[in-house]
Amino acid sequence: MINMPEWQRCLDAQFGSPKPGQYRAQPEDFWVDEQLDFSPEAHGEHLWLRVEKRNQTTLDVVNTLSRLCGVTPRDIGYSGMKDRIAVTRQWLSVHLPGRDAPTELEQSLNALGITVVEQARHPRKLKRGVHRTNRFVLRLSGEAIESEDFVSRWEALCQHGVPNYFGPQRFGPEGRNLQRAEALLNRGWRKRDDRQGMMLSTARSFLFNELLSARIADGTWSQPLAGDTLMLDGTQSVFRIDASDHTLQARAAELDVHPTGVLWGVGEADQGDAAGYEARLLEHYPGLCSGLQRSGVKQARRALRMRLLEPQYAWESGAARLSFSLPRGSFATAVLGELMLAN
């Protein structure tokens, strides 16, 4: 079993040493708006609520709605988990067949710091991962923004994309979720021990970040390699290539396609030059890799790079105000990490 200092060394290597700076001095410094690409149909058994919350997790809101509406948490749907120390907007659904919401629902939610922005009926429960993007507006201050290269770093991210790391919050305080995940996988993963699949996700996220770090070190994280699986920008569509050529290199430079990394599980390994990175994961972390395969989770792919959508920045009151959208599953903290890395 890998000890805690070794896990911490790996996490430190993934995320680098940040310059001093603040981006969550108060919840209003970190604003998130979840974006769907469709609207509720205005009829059906499920009440959809678009809510704004502050200093609360998504599961806090789920539990509150469960109590106020007299339903179980299983009757409540949401697409993505949103940060606690932030002001966030997102949709949730409540299964209320044949009945209206409690008369005082909005007032009760307001008293608890949750505002209903919109509501409508829909025939189906809101499912995980159906939102298209998240829009972020972040306020960053401190030494990080005082560097002479801050603006050039930001412009480089806008032009060339951002390493698509899973954020450090995925791994828990001081990375302790990694130890929990390893222990669970070593004794044999069971759903009853990990009902939300968080430990599987933690292990897969760590391995992905390690692969991404290795390709950044080699300078290949944004360039297709022979045997790579590429993802079309803005979609989850992937295709494997036998060899890289000038056309694929040009498409990658234009952010039209991105190399991907494995989310470890049961499935085919990469081939060619790209295969070596997965082989190194298996060599260095055999317990995690074999444990994930024994769990039966299916292999998936994640882009190594994310593109900032509609990026903007401005200076206000000694701070940088950044706004951009990211595809679902990408972390704004990964963007901030690149801006705050020490030279």
Side-chain angles (χ1 to χ4, degrees):
M1 180 175 288
I2 302 174
N3 58 32
M4 196 63 224
E6 178 66 8
W7 282 130
Q8 195 60 54
R9 180 198 64 75
C10 294
L11 289 176
D12 288 345
Q14 289 176 4
F15 297 113
S17 301
K19 294 181 179 181
Q22 289 186 322
Y23 62 89
R24 288 194 212 250
Q26 54 188 353
E28 288 74 15
D29 291 344
F30 200 97
W31 185 87
V32 190
D33 191 356
E34 181 181 272
Q35 304 289 313
L36 302 180
D37 58 4
F38 62 95
S39 299
E41 296 179 10
H43 64 87
E45 295 184 348
H46 297 264
L47 175 65
W48 283 36
L49 302 167
R50 185 170 177 239
V51 304
E52 180 175 294
K53 64 182 183 63
R54 181 181 186 275
N55 274 338
Q56 299 185 57
T57 67
T58 298
L59 293 182
D60 289 336
V61 180
V62 168
N63 291 331
T64 296
L65 285 172
S66 171
R67 177 175 55 83
L68 294 177
C69 295
V71 299
T72 70
R74 291 192 306 273
D75 293 319
I76 298 173
Y78 55 90
S79 182
M81 301 283 281
K82 297 295 179 282
D83 300 80
R84 179 176 67 86
I85 305 176
V87 177
T88 68
R89 288 187 175 188
Q90 70 178 123
W91 285 95
L92 296 97
S93 69
V94 185
H95 192 206
L96 297 173
R99 66 186 179 99
D100 294 328
T103 305
E104 304 298 326
L105 179 60
E106 288 193 47
Q107 182 177 341
S108 300
L109 290 171
N110 282 337
L112 296 170
I114 304 167
T115 302
V116 176
V117 180
E118 297 179 58
Q119 60 178 295
R121 288 276 178 166
H122 194 70
R124 292 172 295 280
K125 180 180 181 179
L126 179 57
K127 294 186 177 181
R128 295 293 299 271
V130 301
H131 64 289
R132 186 170 183 82
T133 62
N134 290 301
R135 185 69 184 173
F136 296 90
V137 180
L138 312 179
R139 188 175 185 275
L140 178 62
S141 60
E143 182 181 324
I145 68 168
E146 297 169 3
S147 301
E148 293 181 358
D149 64 347
F150 178 80
V151 173
S152 62
R153 286 192 187 203
W154 167 253
E155 291 174 346
L157 296 180
C158 295
Q159 180 178 355
H160 302 298
V162 184
N164 197 17
Y165 280 116
F166 286 97
Q169 58 267 50
R170 175 59 60 92
F171 307 107
E174 298 179 349
R176 291 194 179 94
N177 281 354
L178 289 169
Q179 282 192 315
R180 293 174 58 201
E182 185 184 33
L184 179 58
L185 290 170
N186 282 343
R187 68 174 182 262
W189 183 87
R190 299 178 300 179
K191 186 171 180 61
R192 69 184 186 186
D193 298 325
D194 185 23
R195 293 200 176 275
Q196 301 297 322
M198 183 57 69
M199 294 301 100
L200 291 180
S201 180
T202 296
R204 299 172 95 195
S205 300
F206 175 79
L207 293 172
F208 174 88
N209 280 7
E210 283 286 274
L211 187 152
L212 174 54
S213 290
R215 290 194 61 161
I216 288 174
D218 289 350
T220 63
W221 69 284
S222 60
Q223 295 298 317
L225 296 176
D228 249 335
T229 300
L230 303 183
M231 183 175 290
L232 292 173
D233 184 61
T235 76
Q236 294 297 307
S237 298
V238 297
F239 60 98
R240 179 166 287 173
I241 61 172
D242 294 325
S244 183
D245 57 27
H246 291 302
T247 299
L248 287 171
Q249 296 288 339
R251 292 180 67 185
E254 294 170 356
L255 307 184
D256 180 48
V257 296
H258 310 289
T260 66
V262 64
L263 295 174
W264 203 278
V266 179
E268 295 184 8
D270 269 340
Q271 304 297 318
D273 294 340
Y277 296 95
E278 292 183 20
R280 272 182 263 174
L281 291 180
L282 186 57
E283 177 185 354
H284 293 151
Y285 306 105
L288 290 182
C289 295
S290 61
L292 286 166
Q293 289 178 308
R294 289 195 306 270
S295 78
V297 64
K298 292 183 179 180
Q299 182 191 111
R301 310 297 301 190
R302 176 180 171 91
L304 297 179
R305 178 176 61 177
M306 55 181 165
R307 180 164 62 94
L308 298 179
L309 306 172
E310 299 177 342
Q312 300 175 2
Y313 84 93
W315 299 105
E316 56 178 37
S317 303
R321 184 178 184 272
L322 310 175
S323 61
F324 51 87
S325 294
L326 295 177
R328 66 177 179 267
S330 293
F331 287 74
T333 49
V335 180
L336 293 175
E338 295 301 310
L339 291 171
M340 298 173 69
L341 282 178
N343 292 324

